Amino acid sequence: TTTLQIALAGNPNSGKTSLFNEITGTNQRVGNWPGVTIEKKSGKLTKYPNVELQDLPGIYSLSPYSPEELVARNYLIDDAPDLILNLIDGTNIERNLYLTTQLLELGVPVIIGINMMDVVEKNKQTIDIKLLSEMLYAPIVGLSVTKKKNIDELMKRSLHTHATSEGQGQNHIRYDKRLEVALEEIADVIEANTPENRRRWFSIKLFERDEEIRNELHLTKEQQIEINEIIAITEKIFQTDSTSIMINERYDFITRLVEKAVTNKSNFELSLS
Ligand code: BGO
């Protein structure tokens, strides 16, 4: 039997442990990730025994600045799960979406679960899930793990997403044109070294001068020189370093997203009185 591998990714405190326990029950295997003392948990879903869920350490980005980020990133790249289930804290959506923009670049289909919807509703906030889903080009389900709301729906949609490859693992987020030009030029330089579905991820990482990726791709001297020139020109245009350019562009994109899709009803009522 073929086992479907789903990777559970999200920020710390997004509810990953709660969800993992809820849907795998006692079917859990616990160990350590190789070489580090970070707990590794995986488990078969109680309701779908041919689906294995791999819990990843709670992280804020795939940069990687911490051992947790490195573990998560290596797993997502090397083990290539069939699907990434990205759990988000709906009360902290702006910060949580930062990781989401990176997960969507990996070339693996992503489904997003917006958790803590009970708190979101209590706070009189509304999240336009349909609009958010359209803007991120990924299926999204709102849920509350502790209130046991919509967990089945999330898992059904996850299996459906995999079955139909809805989303396809293609990234559709586009940033400032001047950055996009640089990323496309880098993509052209590494065309022969990289599979198409991973090319945008590699281009962004090379733009960020990510050493691990640079070593992994075994680039020639000429390729490295070309890429360095592209980065240098872009940094001159933006008047800042390439890492900051990417961070700023991600946050600008998220700000636009949240402005459109998240409203605070209590503020609205206040402004009417
Ligand atoms: C404590 N709704 C609400 N309201 N809370 C939720 C939901 C939800 O849908 N889902 C999870 N939580 P983790 P990571 C806690 O533990 O699964 C809560 O880091 C407490 N503990 O119960 O641990 C969940 O694995 C004392 O809260 O997340 C947990 O991703 C007082 O969110 C927290 C209050 O969930 C983080 C909360 C002793």
Side-chain angles (χ1 to χ4, degrees):
T1 52
T2 47
T3 306
L4 182 71
Q5 283 283 345
I6 300 181
L8 180 57
N11 287 14
N13 289 317
S14 55
K16 284 190 317 97
T17 307
S18 309
L19 178 66
F20 185 85
N21 289 339
E22 186 64 35
I23 60 180
T24 62
T26 52
N27 299 322
Q28 301 183 0
R29 277 189 298 139
V30 182
N32 272 349
W33 291 92
V36 284
T37 52
I38 300 172
E39 192 179 71
K40 177 175 183 173
K41 273 189 311 182
S42 62
K44 299 233 155 73
L45 300 196
T46 318
K47 288 195 179 165
Y48 306 95
N50 62 334
V51 178
E52 177 150 296
L53 191 65
Q54 176 62 62
D55 191 26
L56 296 177
I59 49 170
Y60 295 105
S61 85
L62 296 174
S63 292
Y65 298 122
S66 67
E68 285 80 6
E69 288 172 352
L70 198 58
V71 160
R73 178 168 127 163
N74 286 345
Y75 176 81
L76 291 171
I77 295 174
D78 300 337
D79 292 57
D82 300 297
L83 180 71
I84 298 171
L85 169 48
N86 175 207
L87 199 64
I88 284 180
D89 172 0
T91 67
N92 224 324
I93 201 161
E94 207 146 347
R95 183 167 73 177
N96 280 246
L97 283 174
Y98 188 72
L99 175 65
T100 306
T101 61
Q102 301 189 325
L103 295 174
L104 287 166
E105 278 154 14
L106 285 166
V108 178
V110 175
I111 182 166
I112 299 166
I114 303 188
N115 190 27
M116 319 254 180
M117 285 306 286
D118 57 316
V119 187
V120 171
E121 279 160 25
K122 220 171 83 188
N123 293 347
K124 297 201 162 145
Q125 284 186 313
T126 56
I127 301 173
D128 188 338
I129 285 178
K130 189 165 169 281
L131 182 63
L132 209 56
S133 169
E134 282 166 12
M135 292 178 80
L136 287 167
Y137 296 88
I140 304 182
V141 176
L143 75 156
S144 167
V145 176
T146 49
K147 302 276 184 213
K148 302 193 197 299
K149 281 235 175 86
N150 253 5
I151 297 175
D152 286 347
E153 173 69 13
L154 176 67
M155 296 328 293
K156 268 189 211 146
R157 282 287 292 280
S158 297
L159 299 187
H160 177 77
T161 300
H162 174 257
T164 60
S165 274
E166 174 194 344
Q168 293 287 359
Q170 282 176 32
N171 186 268
H172 297 272
I173 299 175
R174 290 294 173 267
Y175 300 112
D176 188 296
K177 280 222 176 69
R178 298 164 302 170
L179 171 59
E180 289 300 334
V181 168
L183 295 177
E184 272 166 39
E185 284 174 359
I186 295 175
D188 286 343
V189 174
I190 59 170
E191 193 174 351
N193 307 57
T194 51
E196 202 195 336
N197 65 333
R198 282 283 163 87
R199 200 163 295 139
R200 185 166 173 90
W201 158 259
F202 282 125
S203 303
I204 290 173
K205 290 294 127 188
L206 289 172
F207 182 74
E208 291 174 330
R209 297 196 176 86
D210 188 301
E211 258 177 63
E212 290 227 1
I213 298 292
R214 200 158 44 189
N215 296 337
E216 191 185 318
L217 288 180
H218 303 293
L219 300 178
T220 64
K221 264 256 151 60
E222 289 74 24
Q223 282 176 310
Q224 293 189 38
I225 290 170
E226 272 191 79
I227 291 170
N228 284 339
E229 281 173 0
I230 296 165
I231 298 171
I233 292 167
T234 314
E235 288 179 325
K236 215 167 166 197
I237 294 173
F238 281 86
Q239 299 277 303
T240 187
D241 63 283
S242 67
T243 312
S244 302
I245 295 172
M246 274 315 304
I247 293 173
N248 294 341
E249 286 300 314
R250 286 188 201 284
Y251 275 118
D252 283 354
F253 171 76
I254 292 166
T255 302
R256 290 198 299 276
L257 212 64
V258 170
E259 265 172 16
K260 291 204 172 99
V262 181
T263 56
N264 199 324
K265 226 181 182 175
S266 54
N267 282 349
F268 182 61
E269 279 163 7
L270 219 62
S271 69
L272 286 180
S273 57

